[in-house]
Amino acid sequence: MTVRSVFILLSVSFLALSACEEKRESQIHPYMAKTQPRFYMNGQIEHLKKDNKVVERIILIGDAGNVSEEPLTLDLMKNISKRLNSLDTKETIVFLGDNIYPTGFQGEDLKCGNDSTDAKNLEAQLYISKTTLNPSYFIPGNHDWDYHGKPDIKLIEKQKRYLEICGRESKLVPVLDNKPSLVSVLDETRYTMVFMDSHAIMTSSTELQQQAYKMLEAVFTLADATKPVIIVSHHPLATHGPHGGCYQQDYFGHSIINFFRKHGFSWGQDINAKEYAAFISHMNAIIPEKNRVILASGHDHGLQVLSLEKGADFQIVSGGGSHTDPVCIGEDTLFAQETMGHVEIGFREHGEITVEAFAYRPESKGLGKVYLQRIF
């Protein structure tokens, strides 16, 4: 048998096996689980809306650095800005990584608003903080590190510098002593926020990884137990997007590439990859059950809210800043939708905490609320 014949036979076999597997459909329309967390009935939420207003919000926007390929990105940023300007609450904006597609800050021009792809991608995101006068934090994602290339801290340093020069109260985090770091902490009145450079942690030496994990352990040792801990990391610890096994379907099922991904032959950006799986394992071991913990991530391009049994209480995936990929559902899914948009964490006057998801609607070029639930 020739090499060509063997290749054809293997390809047909892979496709045949894939066609027999259970298909996971992407949630084009908003999905909300019938059973939501405790005390989260819609009637109670409506009561909270009227009598217990939101006084502070964290705005979570991920994977928004592809404006050159997706012009609707800027319109989404304008709509988010319009929404925030209509509110009378305190807001903090957090960009969840992949702020510059596809290879990070490659240019050398740090002049604000220059014609480079780097500047255009960042300026689209900076539009929100500039027009709302809110502080904004950016964490690195794998694309910011140009993960297909040779790791280069200069990519992160240039992005950090551009944000400082051209943004308004805009910072690249985590930072320690004004230098890019693996972990740093923001302690606020209503919450403790931990910024993690998950890609750098996964690809660092064992010694540096252990330092990062010890810093996280220290946070939980010292944190005020009355406040929730929000861990911001580009890579989620749980997801039902492509990095978690939800792939685009075709007539024969998964493509050959996705067949390999599904069965463990994946690269480092899928949750079953060696480095990624180790990161998840370490994080779940560190996060104590006694604390109220929310994970906020991007990486997969859609909106998800998951209720977790191990480690953290909830995983928010808000990676719909520039484009979309399939989003499936799992047993832990509370909400899911394949859509551009963003997620907000709301802190209410009497101490309750809610999660709201907003989908961008291209036909009307506006935002629509698609999910609202109390989580604490």
Side-chain angles (χ1 to χ4, degrees):
M1 185 178 291
T2 65
V3 173
R4 182 172 181 272
S5 299
V6 171
F7 176 78
I8 292 173
L9 179 60
L10 288 174
S11 298
V12 171
S13 299
F14 287 140
L15 291 174
L17 288 170
S18 298
C20 294
E21 294 179 344
E22 181 183 357
K23 303 297 187 296
R24 300 184 67 194
E25 298 296 334
S26 183
Q27 300 300 311
I28 303 296
H29 303 290
Y31 168 84
M32 186 184 300
K34 292 181 180 179
T35 302
Q36 292 289 324
R38 60 196 182 282
F39 53 66
Y40 303 50
M41 300 304 293
N42 286 333
Q44 208 166 358
I45 289 297
E46 292 300 319
H47 176 73
L48 287 173
K49 286 171 63 180
K50 294 175 182 177
D51 303 326
N52 192 6
K53 67 178 182 178
V54 175
V55 293
E56 184 171 355
R57 287 179 169 86
I58 298 173
I59 313 302
L60 302 169
I61 309 168
D63 302 68
N66 201 26
V67 66
S68 56
E69 296 292 330
E70 180 47 81
L72 290 178
T73 298
L74 180 57
D75 193 61
L76 171 60
M77 300 301 125
K78 289 180 178 179
N79 272 276
I80 295 174
S81 175
K82 181 179 178 181
R83 166 174 163 72
L84 299 186
N85 278 324
S86 71
L87 303 173
D88 60 355
T89 56
K90 175 183 177 182
E91 296 108 27
T92 299
I93 304 159
V94 181
F95 289 94
L96 300 170
D98 284 359
N99 312 312
I100 303 177
Y101 279 92
T103 57
F105 205 118
Q106 293 290 335
E108 300 298 331
D109 189 354
L110 295 179
K111 182 180 178 181
C112 300
N114 67 70
D115 289 334
S116 70
T117 299
D118 308 324
K120 289 178 179 178
N121 282 328
L122 291 179
E123 288 294 338
Q125 295 160 85
L126 287 172
Y127 179 91
I128 299 178
S129 58
K130 289 180 178 180
T131 55
T132 63
L133 306 184
N134 288 318
S136 59
Y137 297 91
F138 293 70
I139 64 169
N142 50 289
H143 281 282
D144 298 300
W145 276 100
D146 185 16
Y147 71 101
H148 285 307
K150 185 178 180 180
D152 188 353
I153 190 64
K154 290 181 179 179
L155 300 178
I156 304 302
E157 291 173 340
K158 284 187 290 185
Q159 184 176 155
K160 175 179 178 296
R161 186 65 178 147
Y162 188 94
L163 293 172
E164 291 173 342
I165 296 172
C166 305
R168 183 197 174 280
E169 289 190 58
S170 300
K171 300 177 181 178
L172 185 75
V173 287
V175 292
L176 288 177
D177 300 325
N178 203 36
K179 294 181 180 180
S181 179
L182 297 179
V183 180
S184 63
V185 180
L186 176 68
D187 192 29
E188 292 288 330
T189 303
R190 293 184 174 86
Y191 59 86
T192 300
M193 186 174 293
V194 183
F195 300 109
M196 303 190 73
D197 187 340
S198 52
H199 183 77
I201 291 173
M202 289 183 204
T203 56
S204 292
S205 66
T206 301
E207 181 181 0
L208 289 176
Q209 288 178 353
Q210 291 304 316
Q211 289 179 12
Y213 295 135
K214 285 180 180 179
M215 289 182 67
L216 182 59
E217 288 177 340
V219 169
F220 287 109
T221 300
L222 301 173
D224 183 346
T226 64
K227 299 191 296 186
V229 177
I230 302 171
I231 300 177
V232 179
S233 163
H234 176 68
H235 294 81
L237 301 191
T239 177
H240 300 292
H243 294 300
C246 180
Y247 309 122
Q248 187 67 51
Q249 305 291 337
D250 56 33
Y251 182 78
F252 294 105
H254 301 305
S255 67
I256 294 177
I257 293 176
N258 286 338
F259 180 91
F260 280 114
R261 290 177 72 181
K262 184 176 178 64
H263 290 83
F265 297 92
S266 59
W267 42 93
Q269 299 307 313
D270 288 345
I271 62 174
N272 62 348
K274 180 180 178 181
E275 295 82 2
Y276 199 159
F279 173 70
I280 293 172
S281 178
H282 277 102
M283 292 291 289
N284 285 335
I286 291 170
I287 299 171
E289 296 291 339
K290 64 179 181 179
N291 291 74
R292 295 180 296 168
V293 182
I294 305 168
L295 304 170
S297 309
H299 200 43
D300 269 334
H301 306 140
L303 306 180
Q304 301 177 64
V305 180
L306 310 179
S307 178
L308 306 182
E309 292 186 359
K310 186 184 298 182
D313 295 284
F314 300 98
Q315 170 75 70
I316 296 171
V317 179
S318 181
S322 278
H323 49 272
T324 66
D325 282 325
V327 178
C328 298
I329 60 173
E331 292 182 357
D332 54 1
T333 301
L334 300 177
F335 166 79
Q337 187 177 3
E338 178 185 336
T339 182
M340 291 177 66
H342 76 289
V343 176
E344 300 178 7
I345 300 174
F347 298 86
R348 293 182 177 265
E349 199 168 37
H350 298 161
E352 293 87 350
I353 302 174
T354 52
V355 169
E356 296 178 81
F358 294 83
Y360 175 74
R361 293 166 176 165
E363 64 279 1
S364 61
K365 292 193 174 181
L367 285 173
K369 184 186 297 185
V370 288
Y371 182 70
L372 167 61
Q373 288 294 343
R374 178 182 170 188
I375 58 171
F376 291 119

